[in-house]
Amino acid sequence: QGRLVQRQCFDSVQQVDLLDSGRFDPAFHTWKRLFSESFIVDDSAEHWRVLLGVKKRGLQAGRLFGFGGKVESSDASVQAAAEREVEEECGLSDVQLVQVGLVYVQFPTQFMEIHVFRGSLSEQQPAVGGVAVETEEMRPEWFNADEIPWERALPDSKLWYPLAWTGEPFVAQFVLDGEDQVLWHHLQHVDKAVLATAAAAGTVSPAYSTDCIAANEAAA
């Protein structure tokens, strides 16, 4: 019940509620943590290629992910957080990221709102956009979009990662157990305006402070 002692970081009254009220805790928007996850896609050829990162250390080491992490109090926006994470984790700083989705995740004691971004990069033309490099945190690998080794990713990834790669706006909702298994999920395409409005509700505010982040991490 660590969630119950966390400090309130968001005014839930101001949120755009896209959640299934029958599946999610009513306090989800109050106690959620913000994350970004970005995907780099080479769609210049007939068969798309996707750049994913192999996590090198810590929890879930060896798993495949997009590039991202927690939104920090020092980030000017979620977009800025996404750009920072991409540069830190694979060295890319010139790729234009566009938000394409929101993923709401409810664990037994943790609530996550993941802002999903997509960027385009030519694997064969490194002079345009730069070259992804291995860092202390991640080892980047290119894959054919239809040949992803999903056994190396978390169970929910197969359900929503491909939505992010297409660039069509979407919202995904997941209820997971403590072992990352999917108990319930819902995926939907949404209008760009709906996504923009919902995403804006998760902007970094003065209430999302270093103290608040520290309190939530201690309670998790």
Side-chain angles (χ1 to χ4, degrees), residues 45-182:
E46 181 180 354
H47 299 288
W48 287 12
R49 299 270 285 171
V50 179
L51 184 67
L52 297 175
V54 181
K55 190 172 182 182
K56 294 173 59 176
R57 62 187 183 185
L59 186 66
Q60 306 295 355
R63 295 278 195 179
L64 291 173
F65 294 94
F67 302 96
K70 300 174 185 176
V71 176
E72 306 290 351
S73 59
S74 57
D75 292 315
S77 64
V78 178
Q79 174 93 28
E83 294 169 351
R84 172 183 57 78
E85 290 283 0
V86 168
E87 184 170 8
E88 289 177 356
E89 293 189 346
C90 68
L92 295 173
S93 59
D94 296 326
V95 177
Q96 183 178 1
L97 299 177
V98 176
Q99 182 155 11
V100 296
L102 279 173
V103 179
Y104 300 108
V105 183
Q106 178 172 284
F107 289 96
T109 59
Q110 183 182 21
F111 302 155
M112 302 169 60
E113 178 178 292
I114 305 171
H115 290 240
V116 184
F117 294 82
R118 181 187 190 274
S120 295
L121 179 71
S122 175
E123 181 184 7
Q124 303 302 321
Q125 294 181 296
V128 181
V131 178
V133 297
E134 184 170 349
T135 64
E136 293 183 356
E137 297 183 47
M138 302 283 269
R139 184 178 71 253
E141 292 186 21
W142 285 99
F143 297 92
N144 291 329
D146 57 354
E147 297 178 352
I148 304 297
W150 292 113
E151 68 278 3
R152 295 170 58 189
L154 293 176
D156 62 289
S157 302
K158 184 176 182 178
L159 299 172
W160 69 269
Y161 277 17
L163 296 179
W165 303 339
T166 69
E168 293 293 326
F170 75 95
V171 171
Q173 304 177 54
F174 289 92
V175 177
L176 306 181
D177 66 15
E179 303 297 324
D180 299 317
Q181 296 303 309
V182 178

Side-chain angles (χ1 to χ4, degrees), residues 8-12 14-15 29 32 34 71-78 200-213:
Q8 181 171 344
C9 297
F10 296 91
D11 181 355
S12 60
Q14 298 177 357
Q15 303 302 318
H29 287 306
K32 67 186 179 183
L34 294 184
V71 176
E72 306 290 351
S73 59
S74 57
D75 292 315
S77 64
V78 178
T203 55
V204 181
S205 67
Y208 197 65
S209 63
T210 302
D211 290 342
C212 184
I213 292 172

